[in-house]
Amino acid sequence: MKVLDHRLHSDDGEPVAFEPSPNQGGELDPRYLVMHYTAASSADGSIRWLTSPDARASAHLVIGRDGSITQLLPFDRVAWHAGPSRWDGLEGLNRYSIGIELCNAGRLERKGDKWCAWFGTAYSDDEIMVASHPSEDHRCGWHLYTPEQIEAALEASEAIIRAYDLLDLVGHDDISPGRKVDPGPAFPMDSFRAHLFGRDKDRPPTYETAANLNIRTGPGTSHERLSASPLPQGTRLDVVAQQGDWRQVKVLGGVGGERDIQGWVHGDFIRRAE
Ligand SMILES: [Zn+2]
């Protein structure tokens, strides 16, 4: 993806869907990327809300569960996504950041034998993780992000960070601690950040396959294989994200001409490369 004239474009040169929001103000001095979740059930509903004047809220991008991206404001306009916030000596991060909303139900509560969102929808065990937010001391359910969504967010973030030479990627919970918990523990912030900024100190180590290993389109054996033959033992990988026992990996080094493969493998069958 790339940014042209403050609009996100896919690799084939087409701009992503654009649904203009009236909820904006002023010139942006972009320094950070801020990740959010919508705490809502559908991207369409969130887009409708964030483009209605009543919301008095917006974001630059909304990314659906299927990885679809909708832009609500050009990247040179201030969106209203951060609210009262502070980071690295700056106050009111709307003026200094580009905001991405990921469609996700957010925090879930146990009701009977189900995990339920605040809007009532119940989610099955394989759609959630149980964890405590780093700023809290009690565990609850959190809606998982989809692999397609994480992949789209990573590609969009890469393009935006490159276009505006941004300093860092932060969560809404980083800039509004105590007031906000999104994008929450289900968002792979550390690997995301390390991948985008490649910092030596928190860059994740390189891994390799410990056996011949199938690589799949999603985290589970029900997902299709990405290539007819398994990755040979010793294939070097970058781990991009994780869900349960599964790791989303990028194949490094061009084994068997499969240089650009990115997919999911079972974490038991990879190990740190020497
Ligand atoms: Zn937020």
Side-chain angles (χ1 to χ4, degrees):
M1 292 186 188
K2 53 179 175 276
V3 174
L4 294 171
D5 200 18
H6 308 296
R7 295 272 290 273
L8 187 64
H9 290 64
S10 62
D11 289 331
D12 59 15
E14 291 295 312
V16 301
F18 190 75
E19 298 281 346
S21 173
N23 306 320
Q24 56 167 304
E27 291 267 325
L28 187 60
D29 174 9
R31 303 185 194 185
Y32 301 99
L33 195 55
V34 180
M35 304 305 290
H36 302 264
Y37 62 52
T38 55
S41 59
S42 80
D44 284 351
S46 296
I47 291 162
R48 270 198 303 280
W49 172 242
L50 296 173
T51 54
S52 112
D54 294 341
R56 301 194 59 77
S58 59
H60 291 93
L61 300 180
V62 176
I63 303 183
R65 310 277 304 161
D66 61 356
S68 60
I69 301 177
T70 304
Q71 186 163 359
L72 309 185
L73 287 167
F75 297 124
D76 62 343
R77 304 296 301 172
V78 168
W80 299 344
H81 59 97
S85 50
R86 159 198 305 258
W87 190 250
D88 198 25
L90 299 172
E91 291 226 25
L93 269 287
N94 281 344
R95 293 191 57 77
Y96 305 103
S97 64
I98 288 168
I100 298 182
E101 288 276 2
L102 301 167
C103 180
N104 181 290
R107 185 202 294 278
L108 307 167
E109 281 183 15
R110 196 73 173 162
K111 287 188 179 157
D113 60 351
K114 294 194 166 64
W115 288 101
C116 294
W118 69 271
F119 46 85
T121 303
Y123 292 89
S124 60
D125 284 354
D126 61 351
E127 294 174 287
I128 70 114
M129 68 183 283
V130 177
S132 55
H133 190 277
S135 69
E136 299 175 342
D137 58 3
H138 61 277
R139 288 155 68 83
C140 60
W142 301 88
H143 192 197
L144 291 175
Y145 296 91
T146 70
E148 294 82 1
Q149 195 173 27
I150 292 295
E151 175 63 25
L154 199 52
E155 288 184 12
S157 300
E158 248 167 1
I160 294 166
I161 288 165
R162 202 181 325 124
Y164 298 100
D165 200 17
L166 300 184
L167 299 171
D168 207 351
L169 170 100
V170 295
H172 201 183
D173 47 3
D174 291 319
I175 60 172
S176 301
R179 194 173 71 80
K180 292 289 176 180
V181 293
D182 62 317
F187 184 77
M189 183 60 86
D190 289 346
S191 58
F192 216 83
R193 223 170 179 177
H195 182 83
L196 290 168
F197 293 94
R199 289 182 188 128
D200 289 333
K201 66 177 168 60
D202 52 10
R203 185 166 170 75
T206 296
Y207 288 80
E208 64 182 13
T209 54
N212 291 350
L213 184 58
N214 285 315
I215 181 164
R216 297 180 182 275
T217 58
T221 52
S222 61
H223 293 274
E224 272 176 45
R225 291 177 196 169
L226 265 177
S227 68
S229 49
L231 299 172
Q233 182 177 343
T235 303
R236 290 172 86 85
L237 311 161
D238 252 355
V239 174
V240 183
Q242 73 176 68
Q243 273 194 23
D245 291 336
W246 289 77
R247 303 289 179 272
Q248 188 179 25
V249 297
K250 240 182 193 167
V251 176
L252 308 177
V255 174
E258 292 172 343
R259 180 178 296 273
D260 293 320
I261 284 189
Q262 181 161 324
W264 291 80
V265 299
H266 196 286
D268 284 356
F269 304 105
I270 62 173
R271 63 188 172 210
R272 296 271 278 263
E274 295 300 318

